[in-house]
Amino acid sequence: MTFDIHKLADVLRAAAKAEILPRFGRLAMGDIRTKTEATELVTDGDEAAEQFLKLALAEMMPEALFLGEESAAADPALLDMALDAEIVVVVDPIDGTANFVAGMPLFGVMAAIIRRGETVAGVIYDPMGDDWVLAEKGSGAFLVRPQGDKRRLSIAAPVPLQQMVGYVSTDYLPAETKSKILANLAKPRMFASHRCAAHMYRAFSGGHAHFTMLDRLTPWDHLAGALIATEAGGHVACFDGSPYEMSKRTGALLAATDSESWDVLMREVFAV
């Protein structure tokens, strides 16, 4: 299989311009629905953008299985099919849907290419900033702008725990675990949540934080970001220390500046 990661980025950008940005700040109540719970939202923009991506990527990579967040919600069997497929394109049409609904400019479009279970490429596009971060396995991570500007991404230098700044999502943790972690988060310098994995991965990979922790291992939320963070120089692993991969759907994930910082964070903050 051959592919052009820049063409993949172009497809994400085209989907955002056609189906997402025209709806931003203009959603009617009938355009917004809940999925499994009140905080799990889907909009006409999510569905239209995913359909746009599915059609465009079928032309670009006809041999690939398409796995989108909304497609999997409609047909959960796709998740198991993806584990056995030779090539999979995994897409999140709007990551940060709650922010999108609220009119907050923190949402993104993500795509990853998986070959025989291994993530080989990932792109995170920011529709509001009109730029994207991307990585191919073994080739580094980059911030790219439409006019052709390209800058290599590099994570922040390690610092002691008391100086660390991080991004944390505890939305889906059990209540007892969440309370312990939130208490321990008094130890780093500060933390925040964007409610958007796309921007948390982008910020970490660009050197703007020392760690990011995310607590729901859905593949469309993490495959692209985990690769980009790794290629930017970060240490990314599940809480049990194992590498993150598409087959893992439970637990949580932590990215840190290096393995030593990862160990400190797990011991002092995220041990449960």
Side-chain angles (χ1 to χ4, degrees):
M1 179 199 70
T2 60
F3 65 90
D4 185 336
I5 193 170
H6 297 285
K7 289 184 178 178
L8 178 61
D10 289 342
V11 169
L12 269 58
R13 184 174 185 241
K17 290 187 175 299
E19 304 293 354
I20 298 172
L21 288 173
R23 292 178 167 90
F24 182 58
R26 300 179 178 87
L27 291 169
M29 290 303 297
D31 301 331
I32 307 164
R33 294 167 294 285
T34 59
K35 293 197 275 192
T36 56
E37 55 182 291
T39 58
E40 281 288 300
L41 302 177
V42 62
T43 72
D44 287 358
D46 295 81
E47 294 171 346
E50 182 161 316
Q51 185 62 20
F52 184 107
L53 290 166
K54 184 175 183 178
L55 293 173
L57 292 170
E59 292 187 11
M60 179 179 165
M61 301 176 63
E63 71 278 26
L65 174 70
F66 179 88
L67 175 62
E69 178 177 6
E70 309 314 328
S71 301
D75 182 7
L78 282 171
L79 284 163
D80 292 328
M81 290 174 60
L83 297 179
D84 297 324
E86 178 78 9
I87 305 293
V88 187
V89 182
V90 182
V91 165
D92 192 341
I94 302 180
D95 183 68
T97 298
N99 293 341
F100 180 69
V101 169
M104 298 170 60
L106 279 172
F107 53 91
V109 187
M110 300 199 284
I113 297 177
I114 315 302
R115 179 192 289 126
R116 302 186 193 98
E118 181 180 43
T119 309
V120 296
V123 180
I124 302 176
Y125 174 67
D126 174 14
M128 302 304 293
D130 194 24
D131 60 17
W132 50 94
V133 295
L134 54 77
E136 293 182 83
K137 187 173 176 62
S139 299
F142 298 87
L143 169 68
V144 183
R145 295 189 170 91
Q147 58 269 36
D149 297 344
K150 185 177 182 180
R151 176 173 63 83
R152 181 179 286 271
L153 297 177
S154 180
I155 50 110
V159 297
L161 176 63
Q162 295 81 1
Q163 298 176 26
M164 289 186 191
V165 174
Y167 300 108
V168 178
S169 171
T170 61
D171 297 351
Y172 299 95
L173 293 177
E176 183 178 353
T177 301
K178 181 187 294 190
S179 65
K180 290 179 180 178
I181 288 176
L182 289 175
N184 288 338
L185 281 165
K187 297 177 183 179
R189 176 69 180 85
M190 64 178 67
F191 73 96
S193 174
H194 291 333
R195 295 191 72 190
C196 176
H199 278 281
M200 292 163 76
Y201 277 121
R202 281 177 58 112
F204 172 78
S205 301
H208 304 294
H210 303 98
F211 67 93
T212 186
M213 173 263 170
L214 296 130
D215 65 329
R216 184 174 63 163
L217 299 186
T218 43
W220 40 84
D221 285 327
H222 300 293
L223 289 168
L227 176 66
I228 291 165
T230 300
E231 290 294 324
H235 182 79
V236 182
C238 299
F239 271 18
D240 63 4
S242 63
Y244 173 66
E245 56 188 31
M246 185 168 58
S247 62
K248 297 186 178 179
R249 301 176 194 168
T250 60
L253 178 152
L254 175 65
T257 52
D258 59 0
S259 60
E260 291 80 7
S261 296
W262 192 95
D263 289 340
V264 169
L265 284 160
M266 284 303 306
R267 183 174 64 250
E268 298 292 332
V269 178
F270 297 111
V272 293

